Amino acid sequence: MDEVEEDAFVNWRPLGSKRYVSCETLYPCPSSWTLQASDQNEGFRWGTVTDGTRPIDLEYMRTFCCGHGGLVAFVRDESKLVLQLGVPESEERVHVCTLSGTLVENVELHGLSSTRNRILHVGWTGDERLVVVTDRGWTLVYSEVGSGHSSCDEFSLGTACEQEGLEEVKVFSTGVCARTRENHFWGVGDFEARMPFRLADPDMPGATVHCFDVIPSLGGEVEIVVAVGSDLAIVDAGQSLKFAAGLGPFVQVASSPNGLMIAAVNCHDIIYIFRNENIVVEISLEEAAMGEDDSTFQTPSGTTTLLAWCGVDAVVAHWEDTSSTLFVDVDGACTWIPVEEVVTITPELDGAVFLRRGGVQFCRLVPQDAVDVLEPGSVRPGALLHDARELLGKEDVRSASELLAIVDQGDLEEAVQTCLNAAGFELSVSRQQSLIRAACFGMAFAPLASHDTKFRYKRGTKVVELARSLRILNALRQPHIGLPLTLVQLGSLGLPRILERLCTLGHFLLALDICESMGHTPQNILFKWGKRKISATPANVADKNLFDALVENLNAYPEVPWSSIAKHALQRGRKYLASMLIDLDTAVKRQIPLLLQTGGLEDAVRKSSVEGDPDTIFQVIKQGGPGVRKMLLESPLREYQGTEANLKEVERMRGHALYLDYLAQARDHDTLALFHSRQGPLSTNVTASTSSWNHAKAHLESVEEAKKEGKLLSSACVAAQRLQQIQGGLEASSGRDIFLGHSVAGTVRQCILFGLTNDAKKIAKEFKMSDRQFAMISLDAMCRAKDWVAVTHFMSKLDRRGAIQPEDVMEYAVAHNAPMHALQGIVDAVDPDIEPTRKSRMAASIGMEQQAPEDQSTMFQGIRNAVGTKKLSDILFQSR
């Protein structure tokens, strides 16, 4: 193979017969990891990270790394004796730097020395917030760490943790879990809710708890695996489940990043991997050492100091007295990787980051596509395509023959895809370029090998996306940035989170470049830059000078969030700067709140009047205070408030009192009456409804333009109020919420339907309902209830000269799909001696020809011809 492939294979270690483990150095440093902060302009170098007064030596520090290539926190290790020179620190502090060794912030932990709380654990959340937990359960959560002005939220894990004291703490992506000295477990599943709760105790009274780890889960639930006695137990808030009985005691335990498997190592240096509480891997230290061919290798002694997952399908174990680390996959294969002086191991989705005194290394399994292309002696299609492209670069004629061999075998598409996947795995820029060139070389000959016309387009689109992603990853991995991510981690973390990290660390130009290359809007980045610029500018700098600097740097970008920047300026006490920035925003809705805060009341009234948006107008009314009333009466705003459409917008918003007060001052009794009359029927509370009707009546009587019409409308309000009172009484007496909101006719119908006939008659009499209307409503109610016996009885009581005729009853019955026997009963209720013609006509309308008298056959046939096959009810409804 060529030189590029040999370089790639140098970092690989064989795992079994067909797999490899890659261990690449991300950031090298001198022999001692006594880190030094250096000026970025001088070029990056490892040395000693300083806190501004003296260097920080990792030998006397505890180290805590954030996942996804995040920041590293250092805290003084109180278990190691240090000679203190000079004035001792008055406050505890956490030193935060990137994985490349650049110090970004010293976080002062105020108040811990005075309360004598000792830092027990430091961790990171999923959104890169720093969490500090003391031995008394006091928890500090720092946001925007690395920006130089991090903010802190504090809370306690509870009285029990304060009294018993904490022994061990684990911080996970959304919360924290702690073990007290009495071996009780307490957890907080969500840092936003901050509700501590106690987990179940392991079901082994008196047994020693050795260690525990948090199992990743969704929904804010806390589930842990505990090494207790000689067993393991899975514990949550409700129960404890034991497994691995008698295999311990276990000295280290770790849950996989996806929460599906658990790894543990006991005091005899036997490593176990469990899936669903069943053993899938069991390997001892002696068995792992037997496979090592290096004569200089020494079997570790003592207990395991570090155990962590490497991706989701392998674990790594490290012993402090050895220069190698054991790598074990879930299939039981193992190998020793040369990683020494390890300080801490951070698990990732696709590997593990080793923080060493000699640098930072990344260990992971090599995917099969990379093995197919880069393994020495490989004859897979991807390797042949890569060789063909390298030969083409050297102008070797063998390039064509190798490419044609791939085409003849029909493996060109597989070879292109393999090269692209291998390029996504690689961290070396030169190998990435070599593999992408090989894929593009194969794509150029796609028409010879594939009948798929979209093959080149699909693969070409993927090449562009892959190249953009790799350029982003390569830029993030630069030492002065210090965010080493892989393609898998990029997909998991998401681009918005990465941009958020860059802005926090102050890398705004890189964030803007990434936004432009990926087609994202840079509004949030521009806002954060403007916010940082205002916060970092000394107070003695004039607002006008700061305004010029902001405009000079941001004016070239479209859609700059000037209102958001102005709001921050107002919070920083720069009122004049905020007023100048507000004018640059083009959206009136965003300007109004800030204008009201800065005292620009006249501008707010003027701009809201021109805009004409009801929400904006009434925002001015709501927030403007007493001083806005006179301006509103004198401004064009008045014409936007009187319309019925905008009244609906007002009703949708809160704060009716201020609006009604304004209408009263404007003497707009029409709008006031309309508003109150609408509120009356909507209110289910009788007292509130009565108040609304009384207000509507009073305003209607005040209408000067139409005294007579106003009095009529006032009388209608009184009637509506009375009806609602009756409906409330009916609901209270019957225990049914079925009357409020109905009209008079609807109320009468509901009374009849539920057997309240006397109440129905009283309502009809009080509201002067005609006999015909009451009878029709009664008939309609009986038909709706399908009470055909009552309908027949109603039919028998009809007066020939009354308001309701038999045809009306028949029409309602047919309209409500009455059965034939009910229709026949209605026909039979007509006296044939008195009204033979009517009975014949009604019988014919429902198809009952045999009911017609013989001497009326001629008349019946005429009616039949006129009506045809249609029902009478259909003809009546159609005529209407």
Side-chain angles (χ1 to χ4, degrees), residues 377-407:
S378 173
V379 292
R380 299 291 298 170
L384 297 177
L385 179 61
H386 188 243
D387 281 343
R389 181 59 183 85
E390 293 299 315
L391 292 173
L392 178 65
K394 299 175 182 179
E395 299 182 356
D396 194 323
V397 295
R398 292 178 297 175
S399 172
S401 60
E402 290 200 14
L403 180 64
L404 290 176
I406 300 173
V407 173

Side-chain angles (χ1 to χ4, degrees), residues 317-608:
H318 180 75
W319 288 258
E320 190 173 6
D321 62 342
T322 183
S323 60
S324 297
T325 300
L326 180 61
F327 185 101
V328 183
D329 70 356
V330 294
D331 296 325
C334 65
T335 186
W336 293 88
I337 52 180
V339 182
E340 58 183 359
E341 294 184 314
V342 177
V343 176
T344 184
I345 304 175
T346 305
E348 300 284 2
L349 288 175
D350 57 342
V353 174
F354 291 80
L355 191 61
R356 305 169 42 241
R357 292 187 176 89
V360 181
Q361 289 184 280
F362 184 59
C363 178
R364 54 179 171 168
L365 283 170
V366 180
Q368 189 59 45
D369 288 331
V371 174
D372 291 345
V373 178
L374 301 177
E375 184 182 26
S378 173
V379 292
R380 299 291 298 170
L384 297 177
L385 179 61
H386 188 243
D387 281 343
R389 181 59 183 85
E390 293 299 315
L391 292 173
L392 178 65
K394 299 175 182 179
E395 299 182 356
D396 194 323
V397 295
R398 292 178 297 175
S399 172
S401 60
E402 290 200 14
L403 180 64
L404 290 176
I406 300 173
V407 173
D408 291 341
Q409 295 174 4
D411 297 330
L412 183 60
E413 186 172 354
E414 177 188 347
V416 169
Q417 187 62 49
T418 303
C419 288
L420 291 177
N421 293 341
F425 165 80
E426 277 297 332
L427 299 180
S428 170
V429 177
S430 60
R431 287 195 290 271
Q432 291 172 0
Q433 294 173 345
S434 175
L435 291 166
I436 291 179
R437 278 197 297 264
C440 294
F441 178 59
M443 287 169 53
F445 294 90
L448 300 178
S450 175
H451 298 288
D452 186 1
T453 57
K454 296 183 179 180
F455 170 72
R456 290 183 63 184
Y457 171 75
K458 291 186 292 186
R459 291 295 180 270
T461 304
K462 185 171 183 178
V463 167
V464 173
E465 294 176 354
L466 177 63
R468 286 175 177 171
S469 299
L470 292 178
R471 288 188 64 188
I472 293 173
L473 295 176
N474 295 335
L476 296 174
R477 203 163 45 248
Q478 292 299 312
H480 69 279
I481 303 296
L483 295 178
L485 296 173
T486 63
L487 200 61
V488 174
Q489 297 170 21
L490 175 65
S492 172
L493 194 62
L495 193 59
R497 290 275 301 279
I498 293 175
L499 297 176
E500 188 78 18
R501 284 187 175 188
L502 290 174
C503 292
T504 302
L505 296 176
H507 302 297
F508 295 101
L509 288 178
L510 178 58
L512 283 173
D513 290 341
I514 293 175
C515 269
E516 292 178 357
S517 65
M518 301 300 290
H520 289 229
T521 57
Q523 287 187 356
N524 192 41
I525 299 173
L526 299 177
F527 163 66
K528 289 184 177 297
W529 181 88
K531 180 180 176 181
R532 183 77 64 88
K533 177 69 175 176
I534 294 173
S535 300
T537 303
N540 57 0
V541 176
D543 286 358
K544 183 64 171 65
N545 296 336
L546 183 54
F547 173 78
D548 294 338
L550 290 170
V551 172
E552 181 182 357
N553 286 277
L554 299 179
N555 212 25
Y557 298 95
E559 299 182 4
V560 178
W562 292 113
S563 292
S564 300
I565 300 175
K567 183 178 181 180
H568 178 70
L570 192 62
Q571 294 172 351
R572 300 290 295 184
R574 293 183 176 270
K575 189 174 181 179
Y576 181 59
L577 174 63
S579 63
M580 290 188 292
L581 292 173
I582 291 172
D583 292 335
L584 298 177
D585 203 316
T586 56
V588 175
K589 286 187 177 182
R590 294 193 295 263
Q591 292 181 354
I592 295 301
L594 293 172
L595 285 172
L596 295 174
Q597 292 181 39
T598 57
L601 187 58
E602 295 184 6
D603 291 338
V605 173
R606 175 178 52 82
K607 291 186 177 184
S608 61

Side-chain angles (χ1 to χ4, degrees), residues 165-274:
L166 300 185
E167 186 69 23
E168 187 179 4
V169 176
K170 297 289 184 180
V171 175
F172 53 99
S173 60
T174 61
V176 61
C177 186
R179 173 170 66 92
T180 68
R181 294 189 179 98
E182 302 295 330
N183 289 331
H184 298 149
F185 291 92
W186 289 82
V188 172
D190 187 0
F191 280 124
E192 305 301 330
R194 301 177 186 176
M195 295 294 294
F197 59 91
R198 182 174 171 178
L199 280 73
D201 293 329
D203 191 16
M204 295 185 66
T208 303
V209 177
H210 303 287
C211 57
F212 79 95
D213 193 26
V214 179
I215 301 175
S217 61
L218 300 176
E221 298 179 357
V222 179
E223 189 178 25
I224 60 176
V225 54
V226 184
V228 52
S230 297
D231 304 344
L232 293 176
I234 294 179
V235 179
D236 58 16
Q239 63 180 350
S240 173
L241 176 64
K242 293 192 301 183
F243 66 100
L247 299 179
F250 294 94
V251 295
Q252 296 284 341
V253 63
S255 175
S256 62
N258 57 10
L260 299 180
M261 289 184 284
I262 295 171
V265 56
N266 63 13
C267 59
H268 306 295
D269 289 328
I270 301 178
I271 297 176
Y272 295 92
I273 298 178
F274 302 92

Side-chain angles (χ1 to χ4, degrees), residues 43 69 80 147 162 412 535 569 587 600 613 624 664 825 830:
K80 297 181 179 179
S147 62
E162 295 178 7
L412 183 60
S535 300
D613 180 66
V830 179

